[in-house]
Amino acid sequence: MKRIVPVLGLCGLLAFAPLPAQGADWKMDPAGSKLEFIATFEKAAAPGEFKEFDARLRFDPDKPAGSRLEVTVKVTSADMNVADVNKEIRGKDWFDYAAFPQAEFRSTELRRIEGNRYVARGTLVLKGVKQPIEVPFSWTASADGAVMEGELLLSRGAFGIGTGEWTASDVIGADVKVKFKVKLRKAR
Amino acid sequence: MLRNTPDSWGAPAKLFHWVMAALILAQIALGVMAANWRVSPTKLELFFWHKSTGILILALVALRLAWRLANPVPLLPSGMAAWERAAARLGHLFLYALMIALPVTGWIVNSASNVPFRIFWLVPLPAIVAPDEPTADFVAEVHGGLAALLALVLAAHIGAALWHHFVKRDTVLERMLPRRAP
Ligand code: HEM
Ligand code: HEM
């Protein structure tokens, strides 16, 4: 008990201390958010979705410089709409659920491109592979929060998704489109 | 000699018959190989060709039936018994029915299993039933069963053609062969 009181006090101090970076904190509303990925299979779009993910954002649309974006994705929540495919992507050649259940993106720099369009540069860790990526997004403020939306192209090979005989890209294409729509509310 | 006559098949009918015969024999082999191959890019490739060829067969059989309806059908040789005529007609009816039922059940399997697919990389195949795993599994069994039935009817069909030629020594096989008009 004696030790808990000063700890609580410290937490209180931190909570009320001025934020080191600019902008408000935003929390994701999972109900209004979607993270999709679209692979190709013999040139046909093969859409999938990560059902569980979370985005945390510190962001001021007018002064994006001090902003920060962090996304965690529960890779094991992937759903590609086909029972046999969902079984297959768990394995070592694909997402390897057992070894890499989670993926993470952390921005290192966030800036405005023009108008309501921004780009977050940072690092994506997926299947244990770290790669710098750029995440472009649009920002639309609304009465009860904001929506960030965007899409980017990732090369599955860079992350070792589809190894061995699956490396070749003639049957399963090399590029995967990632699409997101994140509904945000101001955290208090 | 484009149109059929009471004695012989015209060139389009012969072309339809032999192009489709080649495609269907290849299609059965592709289906068996695709279904039994271990999961690998090769398996997906085999399925891609199986499905593309299957839809091509469906398109061709529609054209072929239209052409058949617009033409006389060569008469069967006069020496054939009533049961032989009936067997020939029934056999051909079965073959046409299977040439439609196989692609259609395959299409249903593809739709129910929700696998994305573009015919020969070009045209996305629209779904004709809603995604549903039990439906996909059941219709896959039907599809496989119909394919086995097709193989049986074809064995009889080819056997009958050879029997006409080598035993009965009539013109049934010859008039379907790609010969120039006499
Ligand atoms: C490869 C060996 C084959 C041989 C030797 C062969 C031979 C023949 C012959 C001689 C006829 C003419 C019958 C007549 O004049 O009344 C015929 C008709 C027919 N064949 Fe084949 N065939 C073969 C393969 C196939 C295949 C793979 C199919 C596909 C399902 C097929 C479907 C048909 C159909 C539907 C007819 C009836 C045509 C009509 O009445 O419009 N045949 N076949
Ligand atoms: C004349 C046309 C067709 C023929 C003769 C045919 C024949 C076959 C055969 C022999 C098999 C293997 C059955 C087994 O070993 O279990 C098969 C499987 C299959 N076919 Fe076809 N097929 C035809 C058209 C199509 C089409 C148009 C599609 C799809 C668009 C299709 C999709 C499939 C699928 C998905 C399987 C695997 C079923 C399973 O999971 O066991 N087929 N087909």
Side-chain angles (χ1 to χ4, degrees), chain A residues 23-162:
Chain A
D25 283 328
W26 300 83
K27 268 179 66 178
M28 186 177 104
D29 171 8
S33 304
K34 212 171 160 84
L35 176 58
E36 294 167 278
F37 59 98
I38 299 138
T40 59
F41 166 44
E42 297 281 12
K43 302 196 167 43
E49 186 186 341
F50 292 111
K51 301 256 181 193
E52 289 172 48
F53 69 105
D54 188 36
R56 293 167 308 283
L57 180 68
R58 172 168 297 171
F59 186 63
D60 177 347
D62 297 319
K63 291 192 209 94
S67 303
R68 209 161 63 207
L69 170 64
E70 281 178 22
V71 183
T72 45
V73 179
K74 196 168 170 193
V75 174
T76 56
S77 72
D79 180 6
M80 294 200 73
N81 309 309
V82 183
D84 288 341
V85 175
N86 283 347
K87 257 173 246 152
E88 214 46 46
I89 58 177
R90 299 164 184 214
K92 277 196 154 46
D93 278 345
W94 298 100
F95 286 129
D96 198 353
Y97 282 6
F100 307 104
Q102 189 160 307
E104 240 174 52
F105 172 78
R106 277 169 201 279
S107 72
T108 50
E109 184 200 344
L110 212 154
R111 61 187 167 80
R112 175 183 254 145
I113 306 173
E114 56 163 21
N116 72 336
R117 296 197 299 119
Y118 301 83
V119 62
R121 288 161 168 270
T123 311
L124 174 63
V125 185
L126 171 58
K127 206 180 177 188
V129 180
K130 260 189 175 171
Q131 289 276 333
I133 64 165
E134 292 195 351
V135 181
F137 65 90
S138 66
W139 180 266
T140 315
S142 63
D144 61 337
V147 171
M148 60 188 291
E149 246 178 306
E151 57 179 67
L152 60 145
L153 222 51
L154 293 179
S155 151
R156 65 180 177 90
F159 297 92
I161 310 239

Side-chain angles (χ1 to χ4, degrees), chain B residues 4 45 47 54 60 66 76 84 92 102 104 107 130 132 138 144 149 153 155 158 160 164-165 171 176 181:
Chain B
N4 297 344
E45 200 107 68
F47 264 123
L60 287 175
L76 290 169
E84 290 173 329
H92 294 162
L102 271 153
V104 169
W107 192 344
D132 180 55
F138 173 70
L149 183 61
V153 180
I158 295 167
H164 275 285
H165 190 69
T171 59
M176 185 51 99

Side-chain angles (χ1 to χ4, degrees), chain A residues 42-43 45 81-83 165-166, chain B residues 38 45 113-114 116 118 121:
Chain A
E42 297 281 12
K43 302 196 167 43
N81 309 309
V82 183
E165 57 189 352
W166 298 103
Chain B
R38 70 180 178 88
E45 200 107 68
S113 59
N114 208 3
R118 276 175 180 258
W121 302 295

Side-chain angles (χ1 to χ4, degrees), chain A residues 84, chain B residues 23-25 27-36 47 50-58 98-111 113 115 117 125 136-137 139-141 143-148 150:
Chain A
D84 288 341
Chain B
L23 285 176
I24 285 167
L25 295 177
Q27 178 69 350
I28 295 173
L30 275 173
V32 172
M33 282 163 77
N36 295 296
F47 264 123
H50 180 73
K51 294 174 187 178
S52 296
T53 309
I55 297 298
L56 174 64
I57 289 169
L58 184 59
L98 288 166
M99 281 190 276
I100 296 167
L102 271 153
V104 169
T105 49
W107 192 344
I108 293 173
V109 176
N110 197 74
S111 307
S113 59
V115 175
F117 167 59
L125 184 68
D137 291 346
V139 182
E141 293 295 321
H143 185 71
L146 290 176
L150 173 65

Side-chain angles (χ1 to χ4, degrees), chain B residues 9 17-18 20-21 24-25 64 68 73 76 92 95-96 99 150 154 157-158 161 172-173 175-176:
Chain B
W9 300 94
H17 179 269
W18 292 110
M20 290 194 68
I24 285 167
L25 295 177
R64 179 173 176 182
R68 189 185 197 273
V73 176
L76 290 169
H92 294 162
L95 289 174
Y96 279 123
M99 281 190 276
L150 173 65
L154 275 181
H157 178 70
I158 295 167
V172 166
L173 177 58
R175 69 187 192 180
M176 185 51 99

